[in-house]
Amino acid sequence: MSIQSEKIKKLIENRVKARLGGGEKAIEKQHQRGKYTARERIDMLLDAGSFEEYDMFKLHRCHNFGMEKKQYLGDGVVVGSGTIDGRLVYVFAQDFTVNGGSLSKTMSEKICKVMDMAMTMGAPVIGINDSGGARIQEGIDALAGYGEIFERNILASGVIPQISMIYGPCAGGAVYSPALTDFTLMKENTSYMFLTGPAVVKTVTGEDVDAEHLGGASVHASKSGVTSFTAKTEEEGIEMIKKLVSYIPSNNMEETPRVECTDPIDRLDDSLNEIIPEDPNQAYDMYKVITAITDNGEFFEVQPKFARNIIIGFARFNGQSVGIVANQPSAFAGVLDVNASRKGARFVRFCDAFNIPIVSLVDVPGFLPGTGQEYNAVILHGAKLLYAYGEATVPKVTVTLRKSYGGSHIVMGCKQLRADINFAWPSAEIAVMGAAGAVAVLQAKAAKQVKEEGGDVKAFLAEKEAEYSELFANPYQAAKYGYIDDVIEPRNTRFRICRALAQLATKRQNLPTKKHGCIPM
């Protein structure tokens, strides 16, 4: 055998060794936990045969606490590039079979390398997290590694899409990288995220809580809003991420992806003409409106379990990807609150950063009153949604279906926040407040006088409410001033949105020159 042949044989042996990560026994343990390995996850995520791995032979440089005896090629994270449906993406997947996936300085260098490449090439970066946290044996070096990653998360924000998948533990400082990314997916039952674990919580606060109830997928999906999606299986989660990628551009300089549309843009849906109940206090399901107007009734929802009174997600109109923001009358009457405001604001800002048009479907009675909301800064959180809409320069189409009252009318994509096209259904009620509340204020003295004179106060107020409704509980007052561009037949909503988006395709709008705005935090 020639020297060259021996070297090639050694290379092949090293590749086989590197691909085994922490070894066959560690891989078997990973499988017994119901988890795939880092390489298996990458293989499922990327197009077959497209993965190009980098730094396969990199080793950590720690010689403390016997770490020099725990050397594995690649050192606990698999990084590289590949394609999803033919589009370039960069990936890193932490390998729990190697030192519990704990982050070393070397691992951070590998992750930072692909993040830098993603920025240079203008491609999304997807991180698969399954790690025991910072490698304690490396001390400050491991913390410095996290800091390097976070800085890249920050610099990449709004430039390339960043997606995090949590398929195992993610605790302590490690949680901040997913928090800085655009979308996070958590696998149910086997993943968790928290700053301090159950043992520390028990010591400091006396609370007795397990990892699942402290920071499991269900907690962050429904209570905190930290995660965008949850999946029952790793396979399901990967398919969700592939679908998400199909809706978003690769970077902030690209237009939104387009696909061939087989659904006629002038398709009418007669059910929309009947969907608004006669009783203004009766709920209906906004999902039925969304699926009636989008291409093929498809809608990819983001944060479906959090702040259900507002709906956000991606859909297509005539093959063009758009972001949808919609109030949900069947959840707390569609009222805006702290959580709904920040949920909507973050999504609007993402869409604006990546040139994704925003379609708003409005049926909002106001902001949720009460000390709980005020003490939790509903003013600031509501201002976030206001700021996001007002700042956005992408095409914005707003359709008011029913209620649009007071401050909530303003923050949901009104004309004064530079919405481009504002439609309203005939059932739209655009006013400072509802008829009952307005009459209670406007006719308080008159009602008192009627009562003193022995008149029927209830009948008097009902008459005044009817007068107020006739005057304001319709879209024509707003249309009279040009705040509504057109009152449309509900069944024709799909066609009007498609045509508005086509008209706005060449929109160019700039913000005043500044370093950055100071969004209400």
Side-chain angles (χ1 to χ4, degrees):
M1 182 181 292
S2 67
I3 294 176
Q4 183 72 358
S5 297
E6 288 180 4
K7 289 182 177 180
I8 292 172
K9 181 183 177 183
K10 181 67 173 177
L11 168 64
I12 293 170
E13 289 174 352
N14 282 339
R15 287 197 183 280
V16 170
K17 187 177 179 182
R19 289 186 179 117
L20 283 175
E24 292 180 355
K25 288 185 178 180
I27 290 172
E28 186 180 344
K29 283 185 179 180
Q30 182 81 342
H31 289 162
Q32 287 172 354
R33 297 186 187 101
K35 297 159 67 177
Y36 288 104
T37 65
R39 294 178 187 279
E40 289 168 340
R41 290 162 176 166
I42 289 174
D43 286 343
M44 287 189 287
L45 177 67
L46 301 180
D47 296 338
S50 70
F51 182 52
E52 289 287 334
E53 185 172 350
Y54 312 128
D55 290 338
M56 177 183 274
F57 305 119
K58 194 155 187 170
L59 297 170
H60 71 72
R61 300 180 291 273
C62 178
H63 298 283
N64 299 322
F65 305 100
M67 285 302 295
E68 68 276 5
K69 300 174 185 177
K70 297 180 180 180
Q71 289 278 16
Y72 299 90
L73 293 176
D75 191 32
V77 67
V78 182
V79 307
S81 65
T83 60
I84 295 177
D85 292 331
R87 295 172 59 199
L88 176 67
V89 298
Y90 287 83
V91 296
F92 65 87
Q94 293 171 332
D95 188 349
F96 198 79
T97 70
V98 176
N99 297 315
S102 58
L103 187 113
S104 66
K105 186 65 166 63
T106 305
M107 283 174 62
S108 74
E109 290 167 358
K110 291 180 65 172
I111 293 170
C112 288
K113 177 184 280 190
V114 293
M115 294 180 77
D116 289 342
M117 294 176 77
M119 283 283 280
T120 302
M121 312 309 169
V125 62
I126 301 171
I128 304 176
N129 295 261
D130 187 3
S131 167
R135 192 169 294 176
I136 299 172
Q137 296 91 333
E138 293 200 12
I140 191 66
D141 253 359
L143 295 182
Y146 274 127
E148 294 283 357
I149 294 170
F150 301 160
E151 178 65 8
R152 283 162 175 80
N153 287 135
I154 293 164
L155 294 177
S157 181
V159 181
I160 55 172
Q162 301 180 81
I163 300 168
S164 298
M165 302 169 68
I166 316 299
Y167 272 2
C170 184
V175 300
Y176 282 119
S177 181
L180 289 166
T181 61
D182 300 304
F183 299 98
T184 302
L185 180 144
M186 295 183 72
K187 157 79 168 55
E188 295 174 10
N189 300 318
T190 58
S191 71
Y192 54 79
M193 296 175 70
F194 41 65
L195 282 169
T196 51
V200 176
V201 170
K202 176 72 172 175
T203 301
V204 175
T205 71
E207 291 179 273
D208 196 359
V209 63
D210 59 25
E212 179 62 28
H213 289 90
L214 180 62
S218 61
V219 169
H220 289 311
S222 61
K223 296 183 183 298
S224 72
V226 166
T227 192
S228 313
F229 313 100
T230 61
K232 288 181 170 36
T233 65
E234 293 195 13
E235 293 92 337
E236 180 189 22
I238 285 168
E239 289 305 312
M240 291 172 74
I241 295 306
K242 288 182 180 181
K243 191 167 186 179
L244 170 63
V245 169
S246 75
Y247 281 104
I248 59 180
S250 294
N251 58 67
N252 65 342
M253 301 302 288
E254 288 188 2
E255 297 300 317
T256 53
R258 296 194 75 105
V259 300
E260 184 181 353
C261 179
T262 57
D263 190 359
I265 66 170
D266 58 354
R267 170 175 55 79
L268 303 177
D269 195 312
D270 291 332
S271 68
L272 296 180
N273 281 9
E274 307 295 331
I275 199 168
I276 302 295
E278 290 293 330
D279 182 352
N281 295 318
Q282 187 177 336
Y284 62 94
D285 190 353
M286 186 63 80
Y287 289 111
K288 292 182 179 179
V289 177
I290 294 170
T291 55
I293 62 178
T294 58
D295 288 359
N296 304 308
E298 293 178 357
F299 178 57
F300 184 65
E301 188 171 7
V302 178
Q303 291 186 294
K305 300 175 182 178
F306 178 67
R308 293 176 184 266
N309 37 326
I310 198 167
I311 299 168
I312 59 172
F314 298 103
R316 291 187 178 92
F317 286 95
N318 196 22
Q320 180 182 14
S321 179
V322 304
I324 290 182
V325 181
N327 308 113
Q328 172 58 300
S330 66
F332 304 107
V335 70
L336 289 174
D337 59 7
V338 166
N339 288 340
S341 297
R342 62 188 182 94
K343 173 182 173 180
R346 182 166 185 173
F347 184 70
V348 168
R349 298 196 90 208
F350 174 83
C351 290
D352 185 50
F354 290 100
N355 309 313
I356 302 172
I358 299 164
V359 174
S360 304
L361 303 175
V362 180
D363 188 346
V364 59
F367 281 90
L368 183 64
T371 56
Q373 290 294 305
E374 298 295 351
Y375 294 172
N376 282 287
V378 69
I379 295 171
L380 286 179
H381 291 292
K384 289 178 184 175
L385 186 57
L386 173 70
Y387 191 106
Y389 266 111
E391 180 187 43
T393 59
V394 292
K396 294 181 284 190
V397 180
T398 300
V399 184
T400 302
L401 283 62
R402 188 169 61 174
K403 298 174 183 176
S404 186
Y405 295 156
S408 62
H409 159 75
I410 298 172
V411 305
M412 281 299 298
C414 71
K415 183 65 74 176
Q416 290 70 39
L417 295 186
R418 303 193 302 176
D420 299 293
I421 305 292
N422 291 67
F423 295 128
W425 285 6
S427 49
E429 305 172 11
I430 303 171
V432 175
M433 62 178 68
V439 167
V441 175
L442 297 172
Q443 301 295 336
K445 288 184 178 179
K448 183 179 179 182
Q449 186 175 347
V450 169
K451 184 178 180 180
E452 290 173 351
E453 295 173 353
D456 188 338
V457 176
K458 189 175 181 179
F460 170 78
L461 291 177
E463 179 187 347
K464 294 302 178 183
E465 283 180 27
E467 290 177 5
Y468 185 90
S469 296
E470 181 68 25
L471 188 60
F472 292 109
N474 63 69
Y476 301 107
Q477 281 287 96
K480 182 170 73 175
Y481 294 104
Y483 303 146
I484 293 295
D485 295 300
D486 198 8
V487 181
I488 64 174
E489 190 177 353
R491 67 176 188 153
N492 204 29
T493 302
R494 169 175 167 76
F495 176 65
R496 297 303 297 269
I497 292 176
C498 287
R499 195 155 67 175
L501 291 170
Q503 171 194 334
L504 295 167
T506 56
K507 177 185 177 182
R508 295 292 180 268
Q509 189 175 46
N510 296 315
L511 295 171
T513 302
K514 54 186 170 181
K515 186 174 181 181
H516 58 73
C518 297
I519 187 168
M521 304 298 285

